[in-house]
Amino acid sequence: MKTHKDRNLLPDLIIKNIGQLVTVAGSSLTPKTYSEMDELGTIKNGAVAIKDENIIDVGQSNKLENKYKYNNIKIIDACEKVVMPGFVDCHTHAVFGGDRAGEFIQRIQGITYWEILKKGGGILSTVKNTRKLKLSELIKTSSMHLDSMLLHGTTTVEIKSGYGLNKKDELKILKAIQNLKIIHHIEIIPTFLGAHTVPLEYKKNPEAYAKIVCDMLSEVKPYATFCDVFCDKGGFSPKQSEKILSSAARLDFKLKMHVNEFEDIGGISVAIKLGAMTVDHLDIIKPSDILKMKNRGIVCVLLPGVTFFLMKNTYAPAKMLIEKGLPIAIATDFNPGTCPCNNMQLIITLACLKLGMTPTQAINAATINAAHAVGMAHRIGSIETGKQADIIILDIHDYKQIPYYFGINHVNTVIKKGKVVVENKYLIN
Ligand code: NIG
Ligand code: FE
């Protein structure tokens, strides 16, 4: 007869009959580098046992069945399909007003991102549309983007502010994010990006705006884990970035930096000096900077959806970064200007076709290494005993089919913190 204690050790949910269980196990302490990027720890005929929010057992389907007998346990039959960790989208700007579909047409007619910005469009038009919205409206529209992410298998997302560009509206965005954390199943890591661009009212005095961003830091601190700066053409200089980020570090923010998307203006040295957790974009990067970053623990977050959508051909040198031993993650950069796509499966395809990564490398970059990019690899990013049960079931039989059948949502079921939140491709409330 089972004791009460035994019952406490029993799972309350088991996913059985998994054709290919992609665990991504073994790299929770440090991100995957070099040949670790070529392993996914797959198990044939696997099963996963879940109790409450966590994974309590992983193994062969028949072994788990013998062990737990499957009495009084909710069973999900994966029907021999692929099961893997939920995607971690470690770089997005998902809270904004309006869209820029009109600009899209201008850009395909040959007008550049910068020409549109000069005419008061681009990022500044999104700032206008975001400032216009009430907090409740901002929450409603952003929540729809998060629904779409969850339906496409993203279980954790980093979201930056940055379309407010004054204290009131930056706080409004961060409060929207805080609200979404409560009302939405998706897990959110909030980042303050007051230094996204210089707002129109400070165009003639960017230095003064950089100072205002520094002054916002203590007030936004309760709402954000990370502080980020756009250190690039059209953004902030390395000197301004250093000033903002070092003030942020003193207040205990963790640091991220947008660098080398359009031009290399020297942001990487600042990231190294201040111990940033990630450098993001890296479309243009000097070999000497690659060497400088080695063994610093900085995760390189690559965003091929942006390069693709801006119709550029300067893709980040992912293969070289892997060869040199730098940890890399991939993300959408979901935003209305440079990547209005929030589907990590399509980003995996672009990582393969445009960055030259293998499907195995791209999946490592979209799960465990992306979890490292947000400082959460101890809890998410892989299917291992003791980790949070963030798991997706896909309507395919081999993970290589994710990038291959591209532009298709393969995700059938999403489990977040042990709870089924998407079933048969529909959200469950
Ligand atoms: O990461 N400035 C950069 N931020 C975004 C673009 C924002 C926009 O165009 O709205 C990026 O590419
Ligand atoms: Fe970005």
Side-chain angles (χ1 to χ4, degrees), residues 105-402:
I105 294 162
Q106 293 183 326
R107 285 201 306 103
I108 52 184
Q109 285 168 341
I111 307 172
T112 68
Y113 180 81
W114 296 106
E115 286 163 348
I116 293 167
L117 184 64
K118 255 193 214 145
K119 288 188 207 144
I123 187 169
L124 295 174
S125 77
T126 302
V127 171
K128 233 187 257 164
N129 286 327
T130 307
R131 285 180 179 175
K132 258 198 272 182
L133 293 188
K134 285 198 239 124
L135 176 64
S136 58
E137 293 167 331
L138 199 52
I139 292 167
K140 196 169 164 208
T141 138
S142 309
S143 176
M144 274 158 28
H145 297 308
L146 300 191
D147 287 353
S148 163
M149 290 180 177
L150 203 59
L151 285 164
H152 288 86
T154 298
T155 46
T156 302
V157 60
E158 184 259 11
I159 307 180
K160 304 170 199 299
S161 69
Y163 289 117
L165 307 184
N166 60 39
K167 191 158 84 180
K168 174 174 144 275
D169 291 295
E170 283 297 308
L171 271 171
K172 181 177 73 183
I173 296 169
L174 290 168
K175 282 179 185 167
I177 296 173
Q178 194 193 35
N179 232 281
L180 291 161
K181 271 175 99 158
I182 299 164
I183 63 168
H184 208 280
H185 291 304
I186 210 163
E187 191 161 352
I188 304 174
I189 294 108
T191 296
F192 172 58
L193 179 60
H196 194 180
T197 193
V198 179
L200 217 47
E201 24 335 338
Y202 284 94
K203 261 290 162 272
K204 294 212 172 94
N205 195 357
E207 204 59 46
Y209 182 66
K211 165 109 186 21
I212 287 173
V213 173
C214 288
D215 293 341
M216 287 186 216
L217 287 168
S218 55
E219 206 155 331
V220 300
K221 179 68 187 88
Y223 303 99
T225 309
F226 285 89
C227 180
D228 193 343
V229 168
F230 189 77
C231 180
D232 205 320
K233 174 182 175 180
F236 296 81
S237 69
K239 210 168 147 210
Q240 291 162 339
S241 303
E242 185 172 341
K243 207 166 150 213
I244 296 164
L245 291 175
S246 53
S247 308
R250 280 195 291 278
L251 290 169
D252 248 9
F253 281 93
K254 294 179 205 164
L255 310 180
K256 288 182 169 287
M257 282 184 85
H258 281 71
V259 296
N260 300 35
E261 175 183 359
F262 296 103
E263 276 176 19
D264 178 357
I265 63 166
I268 289 175
S269 302
V270 178
I272 293 172
K273 185 170 170 190
L274 301 182
M277 192 175 279
T278 67
V279 282
D280 302 42
H281 284 290
L282 303 179
D283 288 352
I284 308 141
I285 180 167
K286 294 194 284 278
S288 58
D289 274 344
I290 296 180
L291 291 180
K292 272 197 236 158
M293 278 203 287
K294 218 180 144 156
N295 301 324
R296 300 274 180 170
I298 304 178
V299 180
C300 302
V301 178
L302 311 184
L303 308 160
V306 172
T307 327
F308 176 74
F309 192 71
L310 292 181
M311 299 180 283
K312 299 197 298 185
N313 45 29
T314 49
Y315 284 90
K319 276 160 80 171
M320 197 199 296
L321 294 170
I322 295 173
E323 245 168 56
K324 299 291 179 199
L326 297 194
I328 66 174
I330 55 173
T332 60
D333 198 8
F334 177 62
N335 76 77
T338 63
C339 188
C341 165
N342 56 36
N343 176 3
M344 284 292 284
Q345 297 162 73
L346 186 58
I347 300 304
I348 288 171
T349 296
L350 294 176
C352 296
L353 295 178
K354 298 294 191 178
L355 304 182
M357 293 169 76
T358 63
T360 309
Q361 293 171 339
I363 289 173
N364 278 314
T367 54
I368 190 68
N369 278 11
H372 280 286
V374 288
M376 286 185 50
H378 57 295
R379 280 213 289 132
I380 59 169
S382 61
I383 298 180
E384 293 177 81
T385 299
K387 277 204 164 176
Q388 192 167 293
D390 291 5
I391 296 170
I392 58 179
I393 305 175
L394 299 97
D395 286 330
I396 46 176
H397 295 280
D398 189 312
Y399 68 83
K400 293 191 261 322
Q401 292 169 330
I402 296 175

